[in-house]
Amino acid sequence: MAMRDEVQSFKKERILEVAARLFYERGYRGTSLDAIAERLSVTKPFIYQHYRNKSALLVEIYLRVVHRSVDCVSRSRRTSGSPTARIRRFADEYTRLVIAEQRTTAIFFREENNIPDEYKDEINALKGRFDNELSALIQEGADSGEFHIADVRMATLAIVGMISWIYTWYRPHGRLSETGLADRMVMFTERIVGVLPADAAEAGRP
């Protein structure tokens, strides 16, 4: 990347970072472009050089969150290993993603009504792809006999809701470390899809 492009990219990232922080603290409607410019110590025209308006910032945040979520489940589904190993990988990576993107995840859930109509179909399609990819992974486990579950779709919604909701209560210096929390989410995910303990699985084999 040329130095000019690197500088432009850095400026856009800084604007987006500050906008996300203010949207998280004050809400989308409670944040003006003037406030973003003030926090950055720049003028409003500086922001207009990179984003045409405030809603463009919100859309960019939304698209990044949903693309990273889709990438997470797609990697897990397509990696090598059993369905159990892959659902564990998904639960671990998705938990860490929600923790790393706690502010933007909060914005994603809080500000849906403020997304411009022309972007809603694209975003909804990506959200549907995320759910479908996870459902497909769970179905693979059910078909192979590794998962013991009656309702794949309900399991999908339960897992996504459980892990996504971390954004509301996670604290960096809380009782559980990031790794400890990820391990718990993996364990709860296994229970939702009905992964048998190793000793029970062995006992059930002919």
Side-chain angles (χ1 to χ4, degrees):
M1 184 183 294
M3 182 174 292
R4 178 185 176 89
D5 293 334
E6 289 181 3
V7 171
Q8 291 294 99
S9 178
F10 173 78
K11 290 177 180 178
K12 291 188 70 173
E13 289 299 317
R14 283 289 294 137
I15 294 169
L16 203 64
E17 176 187 342
V18 169
R21 186 176 294 119
L22 289 174
F23 291 166
Y24 178 74
E25 294 171 359
R26 306 178 184 182
Y28 175 77
R29 292 188 180 278
T31 302
S32 65
L33 280 178
D34 286 318
I36 296 170
E38 182 180 355
R39 182 70 65 92
L40 284 163
S41 299
V42 299
T43 61
K44 197 156 59 171
F46 175 86
I47 297 174
Y48 285 134
Q49 292 175 17
H50 305 282
Y51 296 96
R52 67 180 183 275
N53 51 36
K54 189 174 72 166
S55 65
L57 288 163
L58 183 62
V59 168
E60 180 69 16
I61 290 169
Y62 248 77
L63 288 173
R64 288 190 180 200
V65 170
V66 74
H67 273 295
R68 287 169 181 170
S69 298
V70 169
D71 288 345
C72 177
V73 70
S74 294
R75 280 194 307 272
S76 299
R77 186 182 173 202
R78 287 162 177 74
T79 193
S80 61
S82 66
T84 299
R86 286 181 282 146
I87 200 74
R88 286 172 177 160
R89 172 175 175 167
F90 165 75
D92 181 85
E93 287 196 10
Y94 190 52
T95 298
R96 293 177 187 275
L97 176 63
V98 172
I99 291 172
E101 300 289 341
Q102 188 173 13
R103 287 196 191 99
T104 52
T105 302
I107 294 165
F108 181 86
F109 284 104
R110 293 174 185 171
E111 306 294 351
E112 185 174 6
N113 290 337
N114 290 308
I115 291 292
D117 289 340
E118 61 265 32
Y119 292 98
K120 287 183 177 178
D121 286 346
E122 178 183 1
I123 290 169
N124 286 334
L126 287 166
K127 289 162 68 175
R129 180 181 165 192
F130 174 83
D131 290 342
N132 290 337
E133 290 261 19
L134 182 54
S135 290
L137 174 53
I138 296 172
Q139 188 65 58
E140 288 176 39
D143 292 343
S144 71
E146 291 183 44
F147 301 166
H148 298 78
I149 186 170
D151 192 326
V152 169
R153 191 63 176 174
M154 186 65 70
T156 299
L157 296 175
I159 292 166
V160 174
M162 174 183 70
I163 298 177
S164 298
W165 201 245
I166 289 170
Y167 85 86
T168 65
W169 53 263
Y170 174 76
R171 298 295 179 269
H173 303 293
R175 181 170 60 88
L176 291 174
S177 66
E178 178 180 326
T179 297
L181 181 54
D183 289 344
R184 294 290 180 89
M185 291 297 115
V186 170
M187 179 182 68
F188 294 149
T189 296
E190 288 178 342
R191 291 180 181 177
I192 290 172
V193 299
V195 175
L196 292 178
D199 53 352
E202 288 293 332
R205 290 179 181 173

